[in-house]
Amino acid sequence: MSTVGPDLRMVTTPEHPGLYVYAPVDPRRPFARLAGQPFASYACRCGHVRRGRGRAEVDDVIRESQCHPTTCTRNKASSATA
Ligand SMILES: [Zn+2]
């Protein structure tokens, strides 16, 4: 049996918004290094989607997941009408 990484297109979408980060860790040295290339996916209800592979891009996706809600027009609209 072979295990395939999760399909990024199915992880986070505007219909299933959120931040998903996958970082394969070497179980023998969990804090020393990653066993493979990490990736991340972030999706917002407004339709904004950001994905990245590699540590630098994953950092960008995580940062965007924190910054985007403050600028998201969908969030502002929903909080204004709610
Ligand atoms: Zn948004």
Side-chain angles (χ1 to χ4, degrees):
M1 289 211 321
S2 66
T3 48
V4 180
D7 188 340
L8 271 183
R9 291 165 300 180
M10 303 300 292
V11 173
T12 53
T13 66
E15 289 76 29
H16 299 278
L19 172 67
Y20 179 83
V21 177
Y22 174 71
V25 175
D26 184 340
R28 293 164 299 179
R29 304 171 63 194
F31 300 106
R33 55 188 280 248
L34 294 176
Q37 192 176 47
F39 58 78
S41 174
Y42 170 68
C44 180
R45 290 183 190 281
C46 71
H48 179 83
V49 176
R50 179 79 181 264
R51 298 189 176 98
R53 286 182 181 276
R55 182 164 286 192
E57 287 188 18
V58 167
D59 282 348
D60 282 346
V61 173
I62 292 171
R63 196 173 302 122
E64 181 138 344
S65 76
Q66 294 166 342
C67 294
H68 177 77
T70 65
T71 58
C72 180
T73 53
R74 176 70 177 263
N75 276 354
K76 284 178 181 169
S78 61
S79 62
T81 53

